[in-house]
């Protein structure tokens, strides 16, 4: 598969990845491979009415079926789930796979407008392990000449296309 052979993926031990929505690159097979290779997998928990997001550890690919569906139709650990490790409370992250609505060739990313990933990356930069490598998973038709950005937007390190 296109992501699994990537050198950054191969060398990473602690990986954050989004649980895909129907209009996004599907991540289920990548998540299964993370566990197959003995890596640690973290998924987002978004806090509504804010731009705060945590990356919480999954114990297995099957663990996804125990997650609650939010009003945004996203599966994530419940607010009362305090047993999972938050990536930045432990060893940080090596790699974050990021979703997006649009991208440009400079690595700028158009998200859903809340700034969750940008804010999380700011927190990563303060962690002893530093900023993880970031890869956006995209369809070719999502890449355009430019996307609107603000000074708070953090560009991605690399964009991978589903058919690359």
């Amino acid at each position: 598969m296109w992501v699994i052979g990537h050198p950054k993926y191969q060398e990473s031990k602690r990986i954050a990845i989004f649980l895909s929505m129907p209009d996004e690159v599907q991540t289920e097979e990548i998540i299964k491979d993370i566990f197959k290779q003995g890596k640690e997998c973290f998924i987002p928990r978004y806090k509504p009415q804010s731009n705060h997001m945590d990356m919480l550890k999954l114990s297995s690919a099957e663990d996804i079926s125990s997650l609650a569906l939010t009003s945004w139709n996203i599966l994530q650990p419940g607010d009362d789930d305090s047993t999972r490790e938050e990536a930045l409370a432990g060893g940080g992250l090596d790699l974050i796979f990021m979703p997006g609505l649009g991208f440009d060739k400079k690595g700028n990313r158009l998200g859903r407008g809340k700034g969750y990933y940008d804010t999380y990356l700011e927190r990563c930069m303060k962690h002893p392990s530093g900023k993880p490598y970031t890869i956006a998973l995209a369809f070719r038709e999502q890449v355009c000449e430019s996307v609107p950005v603000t000074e708070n937007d953090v560009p991605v390190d690399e964009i991978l296309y589903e058919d690359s």
Side-chain angles (χ1 to χ4, degrees):
M1 193 180 162
W2 54 295
V3 169
I4 291 165
H6 192 285
K8 286 287 184 189
Y9 175 78
Q10 288 293 327
E11 69 190 38
S12 294
K13 299 277 181 262
R14 292 168 60 89
I15 300 171
I17 189 164
F18 58 98
L19 300 179
S20 44
M21 294 171 72
D23 62 344
E24 295 172 332
V25 171
Q26 296 302 292
T27 58
E28 186 180 350
E29 293 305 314
I30 302 167
I31 292 168
K32 286 179 183 170
D33 190 75
I34 290 171
F35 287 105
K36 194 173 115 195
Q37 294 203 33
K39 300 173 185 287
E40 293 178 274
C41 184
F42 296 82
I43 57 165
R45 179 171 65 189
Y46 307 96
K47 195 170 181 182
Q49 282 86 53
S50 78
N51 62 0
H52 186 86
M53 172 179 78
D54 289 318
M55 290 292 186
L56 300 180
K57 190 172 183 176
L58 273 183
S59 56
S60 67
E62 296 71 38
D63 190 11
I64 294 169
S65 62
S66 73
L67 303 175
L69 200 60
T70 68
S71 57
W72 299 334
N73 250 6
I74 297 172
L75 287 170
Q76 68 177 24
D79 292 337
D80 56 350
D81 188 340
S82 58
T83 58
R84 296 175 189 273
E85 177 192 342
E86 203 295 317
L88 296 180
L93 290 165
D94 302 316
L95 174 63
I96 299 180
F97 286 112
M98 297 170 66
L101 299 176
F103 307 92
D104 66 25
K105 291 180 172 66
K106 294 186 205 96
N108 292 312
R109 175 185 155 273
L110 180 67
R112 295 186 186 264
K114 301 278 188 204
Y116 286 110
Y117 280 88
D118 300 311
T119 305
Y120 192 78
L121 287 169
E122 292 291 330
R123 286 170 54 207
C124 289
M125 289 177 208
K126 296 180 178 119
H127 189 274
S129 66
K131 180 186 166 290
Y133 194 78
T134 54
I135 297 178
L137 300 179
F139 300 111
R140 284 197 186 275
E141 54 270 22
Q142 288 179 290
V143 179
C144 49
E145 278 308 305
S146 70
V147 295
V149 290
T150 68
E151 66 277 0
N152 296 329
D153 291 334
V154 181
V156 296
D157 293 313
E158 191 174 343
I159 300 169
L160 278 187
Y161 306 104
E162 190 173 39
D163 58 357
S164 58

